[in-house]
Amino acid sequence: MSDLPRKERITEIETLRGLAFAAVVLQHSIAHYSLVPQAGLQDGVVLAILLMLAKFAVPLFIFITGMVLFYNTGHQLHYGQFMRKRFMDVILPYVVWSIIYFILAERNWTNFGWHDLPDLALKLVTGKTASHFWYIIMLIQLYVFFPLFLRGIRYVYHRYQAKGRMTALLISGAVFLVLADQLRNIADWMNGLQIPVLTDAFTTYADRNFIYFFFYFVLGAAAGLSIQRWREWIVRLRWVYWMVFIILGLRFIYLLMLEFQKPEGIRITFYTVSLIRPDMILFLIASIMVMYQLTSKLHHRLALYWLGWIGGMSYGGYLMHLLVLRYSYIPDEWLYVAWGWNPAVRMIVTWIVALGVSCMLTWLISRLKWGKWIVGAVPKHAPSTKVTTSTTD
């Protein structure tokens, strides 16, 4: 593809993708086991800690997308080729799996027919065929508006020196925090205007509106345009983002403990840790930087290999993992409960099984001639286990 010239691979990306996908599967495993009857307060504490450690997953995926696109895109973007590749690698597999989830839904299994097509079409456009597909809809919006991001961010990058670029990044971050803080007010205002499509984008479907996630993409763009400087800042600011990560992480765990205590007794829910709130955004930005630093410090070849391999399987695995989880609960019901395992242990075992099966199925399907249409592009090369060398800005 002419707009994606070959450059030195950023090998941290492979490991980061693996971490992000493992964290996604962990979050959805936690969501299931928070509802099992045996889950008590002690399990809730463990689940809350693990949830906060895994909360970085989607923002990190968005960051990686921005970083890779801005690092690889040449001086001229061929938008038609760009979108054609995204259609084949991202949108087409999403459509395939949306149909699978739609048909396998309990109410559609036996009576699926032509009369279901309007409902399927609406759910395809809104990402409602499965709970995790909101991310794909948001990602597609970033692809659609990529030329605008590219023009604006490159203008700042070429127009200003380091201090001006940092100021622009901080201003965009401040705007992002204000948007998150005003989420409800914006929804009320748009609801009053009743503009077709646009009103729904800021009300019913606000949780998948790219406006409420754009800063992670911009942060990734800043890193992708200046890899060496980004790595320097990761080292220079380590005490700052680690402090934010620890303090806000502990605060959210405490708030979750309060949320668990209902008038009727202990009930494990996670409404407090919504992605779109200013304090959570600060925590997530710090989490991205923490994960990047940890990845850059990781030199164990076996760990790098497997995390890189998981990262290579991440898109197909993401599409199918909720379905895999559904079947991973079968041994839980048949065996783990009978063996007396507590919910936290059952959750961890199920998470590992679902993660492994999702990646293995993705790899197997990718070997087929038409596998790319189902699981997207899967790397043919073995994951790199070398430490990344510095690249110039």
Side-chain angles (χ1 to χ4, degrees):
M1 183 172 168
S2 59
D3 63 309
L4 296 178
R6 287 190 174 274
K7 292 186 178 182
E8 176 188 352
R9 280 194 301 153
I10 310 171
T11 53
E12 299 104 318
I13 294 299
E14 300 169 354
T15 310
L16 286 169
R17 277 202 188 101
L19 284 173
F21 178 53
V24 165
V25 182
L26 178 58
Q27 286 186 55
H28 290 139
S29 302
I30 290 170
H32 173 81
Y33 282 93
S34 67
L35 301 174
V36 299
Q38 301 86 359
L41 182 59
Q42 69 277 14
D43 298 300
V45 173
V46 174
L47 296 181
I49 293 171
L50 291 175
L51 179 64
M52 293 314 301
L53 290 175
K55 203 69 180 173
F56 66 87
V58 167
L60 181 57
F61 269 134
I62 301 170
F63 169 86
I64 291 170
T65 300
M67 187 176 190
V68 171
L69 286 180
F70 276 82
Y71 179 74
N72 284 332
T73 302
H75 295 292
Q76 184 177 1
L77 174 68
H78 300 284
Y79 188 59
Q81 295 179 14
F82 173 84
M83 288 304 298
R84 191 178 304 116
K85 180 172 174 58
R86 270 70 208 171
F87 178 82
M88 295 301 298
D89 292 351
V90 177
I91 299 175
L92 184 57
Y94 161 70
V95 171
V96 170
W97 281 98
S98 292
I99 294 171
I100 292 172
Y101 279 98
F102 186 82
I103 293 176
L104 291 181
E106 186 176 347
R107 65 181 184 84
N108 291 317
W109 175 247
T110 56
N111 61 352
F112 177 74
W114 293 106
H115 60 279
D116 289 305
L117 290 182
D119 186 28
L120 174 59
L122 178 61
K123 289 185 175 180
L124 276 172
V125 173
T126 59
K128 287 286 190 177
T129 54
S131 61
H132 62 310
F133 283 166
W134 69 269
Y135 166 71
I136 308 299
I137 297 303
M138 188 275 303
L139 182 64
I140 292 171
Q141 295 171 61
L142 291 175
Y143 290 148
V144 170
F145 292 104
F146 178 56
L148 298 180
F149 280 105
L150 187 65
R151 176 169 294 190
I153 293 172
R154 277 185 172 174
Y155 173 81
V156 172
Y157 183 79
H158 293 300
R159 175 71 174 78
Y160 300 100
Q161 298 300 314
K163 186 177 292 186
R165 297 170 190 170
M166 180 60 70
T167 300
L169 186 63
L170 291 174
I171 290 173
S172 65
V175 170
F176 187 54
L177 291 172
V178 171
L179 285 171
D181 184 60
Q182 295 300 310
L183 175 68
R184 292 184 182 276
N185 291 332
I186 293 171
D188 291 340
W189 179 59
M190 292 301 297
N191 201 40
L193 294 176
Q194 284 300 308
I195 303 172
V197 180
L198 201 57
T199 290
D200 286 338
F202 286 90
T203 54
T204 307
Y205 304 110
D207 62 340
R208 60 210 64 201
N209 186 334
F210 81 101
I211 295 294
Y212 294 114
F213 297 91
F214 83 89
F215 184 72
Y216 308 118
F217 188 74
V218 171
L219 187 64
L225 286 171
S226 190
I227 295 292
Q228 183 59 32
R229 187 159 288 127
W230 167 256
R231 291 170 177 159
E232 290 172 359
W233 279 107
I234 287 293
V235 174
R236 190 179 302 177
L237 296 176
R238 62 189 182 278
W239 296 109
V240 176
Y241 58 74
W242 269 103
M243 187 177 300
V244 173
F245 176 76
I246 292 171
I247 292 174
L248 287 182
L250 291 173
R251 176 175 179 270
F252 279 118
I253 292 170
Y254 172 73
L255 292 176
L256 285 173
M257 296 302 100
L258 296 180
E259 182 182 326
F260 295 167
Q261 301 175 45
K262 305 292 193 301
E264 65 273 16
I266 298 298
R267 186 179 170 211
I268 302 174
T269 57
F270 301 111
Y271 302 119
T272 298
V273 292
S274 164
L275 289 176
I276 310 176
R277 50 180 290 173
D279 49 356
M280 176 56 72
I281 288 170
L282 292 175
F283 173 75
L284 293 173
I285 293 170
S287 298
I288 289 172
M289 301 182 80
V290 164
M291 294 306 152
Y292 202 101
Q293 191 215 20
L294 291 177
T295 300
S296 66
K297 295 289 185 181
L298 182 62
H299 303 316
H300 191 281
R301 288 186 177 274
L302 195 59
L304 287 171
Y305 177 86
W306 284 112
L307 282 173
W309 184 77
I310 292 170
M313 307 300 128
S314 60
Y315 187 62
Y318 183 88
L319 293 172
M320 72 174 70
H321 80 276
L322 274 193
L323 188 59
V324 173
L325 273 171
R326 185 186 303 176
Y327 292 102
S328 300
Y329 300 141
I330 294 175
D332 175 73
E333 297 166 359
W334 290 356
L335 300 175
Y336 308 159
V337 176
W339 292 343
W341 292 359
N342 67 51
V345 173
R346 289 155 54 193
M347 184 277 297
I348 292 173
V349 172
T350 300
W351 164 55
I352 293 172
V353 169
L355 178 63
V357 172
S358 297
C359 290
M360 185 56 65
L361 285 175
T362 298
W363 183 82
L364 290 172
I365 293 172
S366 73
R367 303 300 102 180
L368 302 174
K369 183 177 180 180
W370 35 264
K372 184 178 179 180
W373 301 349
I374 299 176
V375 295
V378 171
K380 303 299 181 184
H381 60 270
S384 173
T385 58
K386 295 180 181 178
V387 179
T388 306
T389 56
S390 298
T391 57
T392 57
D393 290 348

